[in-house]
Amino acid sequence: MSDLLRGASAARALTERLAAESAALRARGFMPTLAIVRVGERDDDLAYERAARQRAAQCGVAARTVALPGDATQEALLHALTALSGDARVHGILLLRPLPAHLDDAAACAAIAPEKDVDGVTRASMAALYAGEAGFAPCTAAACLALLRHGGVPLDGSRVVVVGRSGVVGRPAALLLLRENATVTVAHSHTRALSEVCREADVLLVAAGRAGLIGAAHVRPGQVVVDVGIHAAPDGSLCGDVKFDEVAPIVGAITPVPGGVGALTTAILCQHVIQAAGGSA
Ligand code: NAD
């Protein structure tokens, strides 16, 4: 059986460090503050908001929610985001997405001040990530990297296959892995012979949003598998993009779902808020 790469233990270690960093900031008169902007009451959004607020409390980060009704106008959303961008007491802004279909996602993201863009959704953050400059990467992609680092997984010179090229996970994760000198292949829904491509990896990072896409045929012994997918089964249990029971006995290490990447994402969010507030976390 493979080792488990547990996000919870990485999150605990980071949370302790962040709480100390936040205490130092507060002693200097800064209260690191996150504003969460939610439109409507989607279950996913409410669950992530709850998890983020809980983690923020553990990290010494103040969190406030701006909740707009599901039928909020574009003007109301832009007004809320612009006000938070100009509010000196707020250091980080998290916009819960996807937005309802009647709202313009690109315009909403553009209304977030780049220095408060703790989830890396603005063009400025994307450009910084592309150029390898300072800025905030999307929290989930950054959490994948933090988890690999916490697990002591060598990346320099390693062959990494990322399955998925979304702007939220696959694409930014690939850029972050390049920064670590990994040899990165990005596979996606048009990739031919996916199982062969996956088997070439030392590290296989799966963010395809397809429950059980990766099975025994896609892996080989010794690989490290990071499963970003989260899917709710009809019985309420959670599973990932990887068939855990099939893959875990073959590979060297694997992230569980739940308790893998997702567990670390909110800690990375708080890290970004503390950095935006002037901390060195
Ligand atoms: P998405 O749907 O935006 O993108 C999926 C990507 O996977 C696309 O690039 C697509 O080309 C690729 N893909 C789809 N089917 C494929 C196939 N059969 N073969 C190869 N590639 C395929 O999804 P996303 O927003 O990137 O999210 C991916 C998964 O990660 C979802 O399950 C989501 O719930 C989960 N997620 C988890 C966290 C977390 O904190 N753990 C955060 C965000 C998303």
Side-chain angles (χ1 to χ4, degrees):
M1 190 66 170
S2 55
D3 291 336
L4 284 183
L5 278 179
R6 288 194 189 278
S9 87
R12 230 180 350 261
L14 180 55
T15 299
E16 270 175 31
R17 200 154 62 72
L18 294 177
E21 181 73 29
S22 163
L25 274 175
R26 292 200 304 276
R28 285 170 32 212
F30 294 100
M31 181 68 217
T33 300
L34 167 69
I36 300 171
V37 178
R38 169 167 47 79
V39 183
E41 305 212 319
R42 287 177 58 233
D43 286 346
D44 285 2
D45 288 349
L46 291 170
Y48 191 56
E49 180 185 329
R50 241 186 339 263
R53 294 187 72 105
Q54 203 176 0
R55 181 68 68 189
Q58 293 164 355
C59 293
V61 168
R64 60 158 114 143
T65 298
V66 176
L68 301 175
D71 61 355
T73 62
Q74 183 73 19
E75 290 68 33
L77 176 59
L78 294 184
H79 180 264
L81 290 167
T82 307
L84 292 169
S85 290
D87 185 340
R89 294 162 301 180
V90 171
H91 305 100
I93 300 171
L94 172 69
L95 174 62
L96 296 176
R97 299 156 72 216
L99 294 170
H102 70 280
L103 295 171
D104 180 343
D105 180 74
C109 290
I112 297 172
E115 68 277 12
K116 300 186 181 185
D117 178 20
V118 285
D119 202 21
V121 300
T122 62
R123 296 282 158 180
S125 297
M126 291 180 204
L129 181 60
Y130 181 86
E133 292 165 358
F136 298 118
C139 293
T140 306
C144 293
L145 267 287
L147 191 52
L148 289 166
R149 260 190 233 115
H150 182 80
V153 177
L155 293 173
D156 196 314
S158 292
R159 184 81 194 265
V160 182
V161 172
V162 177
V163 182
R165 58 177 168 181
S166 77
V168 181
V169 195
R171 208 174 288 225
L175 288 167
L176 291 172
L177 287 158
L178 274 178
R179 273 194 205 176
E180 301 294 322
N181 300 318
T183 302
V184 182
T185 299
V186 180
H188 46 77
S189 53
H190 292 237
T191 297
R192 284 194 291 270
L194 182 67
S195 55
E196 279 168 39
V197 174
C198 290
R199 279 200 306 271
E200 285 169 16
D202 301 310
V203 177
L204 179 61
L205 194 158
V206 189
R210 300 279 180 276
L213 173 71
I214 302 298
H218 298 79
V219 297
R220 61 171 172 76
Q223 285 181 311
V224 173
V225 178
V226 176
D227 187 358
V228 186
I230 307 179
H231 309 274
D235 67 357
S237 65
L238 294 178
C239 66
D241 288 354
V242 178
K243 287 180 185 140
F244 186 89
D245 293 345
E246 249 181 55
V247 168
I250 301 172
V251 299
I254 185 168
T255 59
V257 177
V261 176
L264 191 49
T265 304
T266 50
I268 295 289
L269 173 67
C270 293
Q271 182 179 34
H272 288 177
V273 176
I274 287 172
Q275 286 170 344
S280 57

